[in-house]
Amino acid sequence: FKSRSERDKFVRDITEKAKFDGIDSISVSKEDQYLLKKIKELCGETDPLDAIRFFLEHGPKNDVSVNDALIKFHEHREKLLLALDTYRHDRNILGRFEGSYGTHLLHTITHNQIQNWLDLLPYDNPTTVHNYRKTVKTFLSWCVKQEYIAKNPCDLLTIAKKKPQEVTILPPETIA
């Protein structure tokens, strides 16, 4: 596997298949035989069921809430010595996000929920909404790096286009 995330995804997939089809189904198809071979490469001679149990006990940190992740994210950002205005601005935006989704587990947040949250912001200016999106995306990208979530739901968001401003041409006599 090229990365730990790729390995973890593989183990999750085989775990789900075993849960859904039963462990006997793993040894039936050629595809599953290939998967078992990969498991043996990862686990040596360990029984696949033991590997699955191990994954379930020590797998990705799926029980991290938005609140808990934000506390750690802010601690991380404080160490970066960002400009005070930047830090306050990000903290304000993420505080609003936390107000809506703070108790949710990170892995349950979908791009649709984030899109709806952005759509309900009381701002008409697309630049402001873009800044909110960018800040939340930064936070969730950090969560991916911490392996709290497998992928960033913000990657699937649609970007609001700026509304073209109407240009009015003033007659020369009004300029004077």
Side-chain angles (χ1 to χ4, degrees):
F1 297 97
K2 295 177 184 170
S3 69
R4 183 176 179 195
S5 298
E6 186 178 291
R7 182 201 66 202
D8 290 347
K9 181 186 179 321
F10 167 77
V11 175
R12 274 194 306 277
D13 291 345
I14 192 71
T15 302
E16 286 302 312
K17 182 160 181 53
K19 282 182 187 175
F20 183 76
D21 295 336
I23 194 64
D24 291 340
S25 69
I26 292 177
S27 61
V28 174
S29 73
K30 290 193 184 256
E31 177 186 328
D32 290 336
Q33 289 176 8
Y34 169 78
L35 295 177
L36 273 174
K37 181 181 173 189
K38 286 294 185 185
I39 287 175
K40 285 189 178 191
E41 287 174 14
L42 282 172
C43 305
E45 294 301 315
T46 303
D47 182 326
L49 278 177
D50 290 337
I52 291 169
R53 285 186 196 102
F54 179 83
F55 174 77
L56 292 173
E57 290 174 21
H58 305 284
K61 306 162 191 159
N62 284 339
D63 60 347
V64 179
S65 71
V66 171
N67 287 336
D68 293 339
L70 276 170
I71 290 168
K72 293 179 182 188
F73 179 72
H74 291 312
E75 289 170 357
H76 166 75
R77 299 281 280 187
E78 285 174 5
K79 293 175 188 172
L80 297 179
L81 302 175
L82 300 171
L84 189 57
D85 287 346
T86 301
Y87 180 74
R88 284 181 183 159
H89 179 261
D90 290 354
R91 207 172 168 99
N92 176 43
I93 289 172
L94 292 171
R96 290 174 185 235
F97 185 73
E98 183 178 19
S100 296
Y101 296 105
T103 59
H104 289 67
L105 295 178
L106 276 169
H107 74 278
T108 65
I109 305 284
T110 67
H111 72 282
N112 287 329
Q113 289 173 307
I114 297 170
Q115 186 68 59
N116 290 338
W117 179 76
L118 291 168
D119 291 344
L120 293 173
L121 289 172
Y123 305 109
D124 291 331
N125 186 342
T127 302
T128 302
V129 175
H130 173 75
N131 288 336
Y132 272 70
R133 179 186 156 279
K134 184 174 69 172
T135 302
V136 171
K137 183 174 182 169
T138 299
F139 163 62
L140 293 173
S141 292
W142 178 85
C143 291
V144 170
K145 289 178 185 168
Q146 302 306 305
E147 297 183 353
Y148 295 152
I149 51 177
K151 62 184 179 191
N152 189 337
C154 289
D155 292 341
L156 300 173
L157 293 178
T158 56
I159 299 171
K161 302 288 183 194
K162 287 189 177 182
K163 297 174 189 170
Q165 293 181 344
E166 193 173 306
V167 177
T168 53
I169 300 173
L170 300 173
E173 57 272 4
T174 61
I175 298 175

